[in-house]
Amino acid sequence: MYNRGIRGATTIARNEEEEMLSATLELLKEIVKRNEIVPEDISNVWITVTPDLDATFPARAIRGLSGWDMVPLMCSTEIPVKGSLPKCIRLLVQVNTNKGQRDMHHVYLNEAQSLRPDLSVK
């Protein structure tokens, strides 16, 4: 069994609590669905936000999901690089699996598709 990373990112329009929580859940649920994983398979989730997002901790959205209470979650702020994509939430889901690196399905939603157009679903 291997520990694989699954990346994902999305953007929101406003720095508002509900919008941050909703976007985080949408992104996580899409990662889980596309990769056919369950919380028991997940070793941890790293969550980062751009410095312009400070309305809440995105981990709050995940913590409220059934079965996710023992998954370690960590929030952090992205490096404030000039000209980078604003209002962006990123996830790194680390999962224990027998799948290969190329079998992981990364998820980029909304304006975050510009970060990895090669991995974005058309």
Side-chain angles (χ1 to χ4, degrees), residues 32-91:
V32 166
K33 179 177 130 186
R34 289 189 195 177
N35 289 281
E36 300 175 330
I37 54 178
V38 295
E40 186 65 27
D41 297 333
I42 298 171
S43 64
N44 64 78
V45 179
W46 282 91
I47 308 157
T48 64
V49 296
T50 49
D52 51 1
L53 296 179
D54 61 3
T56 191
F57 294 104
R60 285 185 46 229
I62 299 170
R63 185 66 60 224
L65 293 173
S66 177
W68 287 79
D69 55 319
M70 296 305 294
V71 176
L73 307 172
M74 180 64 70
C75 293
S76 183
T77 305
E78 285 284 332
I79 299 168
V81 176
K82 290 181 183 178
S84 62
L85 185 64
K87 294 184 179 63
C88 187
I89 301 167
R90 292 175 172 88
L91 301 182

Side-chain angles (χ1 to χ4, degrees), residues 1-121:
M1 188 163 286
Y2 304 97
N3 185 266
R4 303 286 187 202
I6 305 168
R7 288 292 318 266
T10 190
T11 55
I12 59 176
R14 291 171 302 283
N15 180 29
E16 294 178 358
E17 180 178 2
E18 282 307 312
E19 194 166 345
M20 285 181 70
L21 297 175
S22 176
T24 301
L25 280 180
E26 176 187 30
L27 180 58
L28 178 71
K29 287 179 178 181
E30 193 63 28
I31 288 171
V32 166
K33 179 177 130 186
R34 289 189 195 177
N35 289 281
E36 300 175 330
I37 54 178
V38 295
E40 186 65 27
D41 297 333
I42 298 171
S43 64
N44 64 78
V45 179
W46 282 91
I47 308 157
T48 64
V49 296
T50 49
D52 51 1
L53 296 179
D54 61 3
T56 191
F57 294 104
R60 285 185 46 229
I62 299 170
R63 185 66 60 224
L65 293 173
S66 177
W68 287 79
D69 55 319
M70 296 305 294
V71 176
L73 307 172
M74 180 64 70
C75 293
S76 183
T77 305
E78 285 284 332
I79 299 168
V81 176
K82 290 181 183 178
S84 62
L85 185 64
K87 294 184 179 63
C88 187
I89 301 167
R90 292 175 172 88
L91 301 182
L92 173 58
V93 179
Q94 292 184 272
V95 60
N96 298 312
T97 182
N98 288 318
K99 293 179 182 179
Q101 190 72 30
R102 296 215 174 265
D103 297 322
M104 300 295 97
H105 300 284
H106 307 279
V107 177
Y108 292 84
L109 304 174
N110 303 314
E111 297 302 316
Q113 290 180 1
S114 67
L115 297 172
R116 290 299 304 264
D118 57 318
L119 298 177
S120 298
V121 175

